[in-house]
Amino acid sequence: MKLFIATILLILSTTFASAKGTIVLLVDISSSISIEDMKLQLESYANSMRSVGALRSKDIVVMTFSEWPKLLTIGDYNDAYEVFMDYAVVEPVHRGSTCLGRALQEVENIMPTLEQPIVLDISGDGESNCENSHQVHPILDRLEQKYDLQVNTLYVRSDKINSNSDLDKQFFAFYKTLVRGGGFTMKAETFMDFELSLFDKLTIELSWLDNQ
């Protein structure tokens, strides 16, 4: 009986030990992304919520950003799946610029409510291009100093940009500058490749969370 109880306690302790941490998905929906590519991106996120099993033990935050950020959910993988599946894609002209600075300000506001450690997962197809873009790196620096945080990025090359062109290299370099806490940057050559890149990225992030 004592051995049985000890085994149960070990299983429970292992389960609760793994049920920690938060992934914040910061999703670019700016006007540079076509309707077709936006649908691919959202479907990729939704599929990952169901296919990456370890996400089930994490809190998941979904925030989109273009001209203004929008917090869609703070919940679990099912909540994230639902908001990605239900998201209404509008024409690019109605979305606006890539205002990453505003989005990061909103992330900074909700950070005290999130369970640590935290992964901030930023994806997009271009640089921050609003008037407050100068705030991007200072905010990330503050978050890194204050929280048990890793910032990882995924740059997706738009079909409008030639691979390995100067602009492609510039955008990829920008996403590298966002990395904090020993994180990493990945690149998807097109939105057709986004789901595989996202799956790999989430797998690495979850490993980091479970080893904190």
Side-chain angles (χ1 to χ4, degrees):
M1 177 60 72
K2 290 182 179 179
L3 179 59
F4 173 76
I5 294 174
T7 303
I8 294 298
L9 290 174
L10 177 61
I11 292 172
L12 289 173
S13 66
T14 302
T15 300
F16 287 118
S18 64
K20 64 177 183 179
T22 304
I23 293 185
V24 180
L25 299 173
L26 202 52
V27 182
D28 181 3
I29 59 163
S30 59
S31 59
S32 58
I33 304 175
S34 69
I35 287 180
E36 293 76 16
D37 285 344
M38 182 63 67
K39 289 179 178 178
L40 282 172
Q41 179 178 211
L42 294 169
E43 288 172 4
S44 297
Y45 274 111
N47 291 339
S48 293
M49 294 304 102
R50 291 292 175 87
S51 61
V52 183
L55 284 172
R56 300 184 181 191
S57 65
K58 309 303 175 191
D59 293 332
I60 301 176
V61 178
V62 180
M63 183 182 296
T64 56
F65 69 97
S66 52
E67 193 72 22
W68 294 97
K70 185 173 183 180
L71 179 61
L72 300 184
T73 183
I74 301 178
D76 63 13
Y77 74 102
N78 267 322
D79 298 315
Y81 173 81
E82 293 296 335
V83 298
F84 285 124
M85 289 295 294
D86 294 341
Y87 192 86
V89 179
V90 299
E91 294 285 345
V93 68
H94 299 303
R95 297 195 220 122
S97 303
T98 309
C99 296
L100 181 57
R102 287 175 180 162
L104 289 173
Q105 287 174 339
E106 185 62 25
V107 169
E108 188 171 28
N109 290 338
I110 66 171
M111 284 290 280
T113 70
L114 305 180
E115 182 179 9
Q116 299 185 56
I118 300 167
V119 165
L120 176 54
D121 179 312
I122 305 172
S123 69
D125 73 335
E127 293 178 308
S128 181
N129 54 14
C130 289
E131 72 282 353
N132 64 342
S133 294
H134 65 283
Q135 289 293 323
V136 167
H137 293 97
I139 292 174
L140 289 171
D141 289 341
R142 288 199 300 270
L143 295 179
E144 182 182 24
Q145 292 166 9
K146 192 171 182 179
Y147 299 99
D148 185 3
L149 173 76
Q150 185 178 88
V151 182
N152 305 312
T153 58
L154 174 54
Y155 162 60
V156 191
R157 183 180 63 83
S158 168
D159 291 336
K160 303 171 187 176
I161 299 174
N162 293 329
S163 182
N164 292 317
S165 64
D166 288 344
L167 191 57
D168 182 39
K169 293 176 182 177
Q170 175 183 323
F171 287 167
F172 186 46
F174 170 74
Y175 277 81
K176 285 184 175 180
T177 69
L178 305 179
V179 169
R180 297 291 189 280
F184 59 91
T185 302
M186 295 180 66
K187 179 181 178 182
E189 279 297 330
T190 67
F191 278 95
M192 291 292 291
D193 307 310
F194 183 79
E195 185 168 342
L196 181 59
S197 299
L198 179 63
F199 183 92
D200 290 342
K201 188 168 186 283
L202 288 170
T203 300
I204 298 170
E205 290 171 341
L206 288 161
S207 177
W208 179 83
L209 282 174
D210 286 338
N211 284 284
Q212 291 306 103

